[in-house]
Amino acid sequence: MKNLFTIVLCAIALGMVMPQTAGAQKKEKKAKKEKKAFVWEMPELTGSKDFDDYLKKCDTLNTRIRSYCDAITFYQMRPIAITENGQEIDRQWCMVDTLTNTLRSSNLAFSQNLDLVLSYPLITLEMTNLSLATTLATADLPNLGMKSFSYAKYLKAGPNIVAAGGKEMKKIYKAARTQAKQIKDLKAGKVDDDYARNAEVEAQSVDAGEASMAVLISSTPIYMDKAEFEKQMGEIKKLDADNPISENDIPEEVE
């Protein structure tokens, strides 16, 4: 009787532990699943028109999103403290490559930002068009016969490409717009320490998904010898002269 009582207690204890263990395992699996980023890989075409059109659109859109996200190099707007014989003699606001502390053409940076701003709505339109292709591919799936079992998973690819890629693109788009506006202000002589501090505060107030905006401008100076500054500035002026931006403007923001 004592042994039976012990067995019952063990069974009750196991019953209390097992659901908790199973629950923990389920949460762990869910966490692993959420961490795994979506990666698009183009499969072989099926031979069925609507489904193949959908796969091609997925591949094209994924390529364009990746090109968009990889196309930009964000430089930073910083004050250059110009020195001579170890003493600061002047300050000028410039675009800077912070990896090398060298000057960059603000006109070329503006043009790069503007290209991203202008191409963003075109790619978002392609994202919208992919929804229709997804609907047609879903209806076409039964026509694939036995292939339908292995190709059904690709119906999730389109929405995944749009969701993940769209989020990444929007972050870059907003940062490109911000930097383009700052360059316009730089050209108009509006950028100073107060301007930079206000921009830094504004950048820190945006959500984490747009954190890249926080590195676009800084009030911390970079010290540069006068001779080196004049040498680099001479090269920058030549580039800026070949790439004027006075007639270019930033279009209305696209949500």
Side-chain angles (χ1 to χ4, degrees), residues 52-230:
D52 286 351
D53 284 348
Y54 164 75
L55 292 176
K56 290 173 186 176
K57 280 183 169 64
C58 284
D59 194 58
T60 299
L61 181 58
N62 184 71
T63 299
R64 289 186 180 172
I65 290 173
R66 295 270 48 87
S67 297
Y68 183 95
C69 294
D70 295 339
I72 187 70
T73 300
F74 285 112
Y75 297 116
Q76 194 172 55
M77 200 176 290
R78 296 276 288 274
I80 304 298
I82 304 164
T83 62
E84 190 173 37
N85 299 323
Q87 299 295 316
E88 182 179 335
I89 59 172
D90 193 14
R91 282 199 181 195
Q92 291 192 34
W93 281 86
C94 302
M95 298 297 293
V96 180
D97 182 344
T98 54
L99 293 177
T100 59
N101 279 358
T102 54
L103 305 185
R104 285 293 175 263
S105 166
S106 56
N107 286 14
L108 286 177
F110 179 89
S111 298
Q112 188 182 45
N113 286 315
L114 190 61
D115 285 344
L116 286 176
V117 171
L118 293 173
S119 60
Y120 178 80
L122 300 177
I123 300 177
T124 55
L125 180 60
E126 288 187 46
M127 291 179 178
T128 303
N129 292 338
L130 186 59
S131 299
L132 175 60
T134 305
T135 302
L136 294 174
T138 302
D140 195 34
L141 184 65
N143 297 330
L144 304 187
M146 294 301 293
K147 289 181 181 178
S148 62
F149 294 102
S150 57
Y151 277 84
K153 63 184 179 182
Y154 290 102
L155 292 174
K156 296 180 180 179
N160 281 333
I161 290 171
V162 169
K167 184 178 180 182
E168 189 177 357
M169 275 182 55
K170 189 171 184 179
K171 177 182 70 173
I172 293 171
Y173 167 73
K174 285 186 174 293
R177 283 185 61 84
T178 298
Q179 187 162 85
K181 287 181 178 180
Q182 289 171 352
I183 292 171
K184 279 279 193 179
D185 289 342
L186 176 69
K187 293 293 182 183
K190 297 178 181 178
V191 177
D192 56 19
D193 285 356
D194 288 338
Y195 179 103
R197 281 190 283 268
N198 289 336
E200 287 173 314
V201 170
E202 184 180 348
Q204 289 166 5
S205 69
V206 301
D207 62 43
E210 293 157 19
S212 63
M213 289 173 64
V215 302
L216 299 183
I217 189 168
S218 172
S219 57
T220 304
I222 292 175
Y223 289 84
M224 189 177 294
D225 180 72
K226 179 184 176 183
E228 180 61 26
F229 177 80
E230 289 178 345

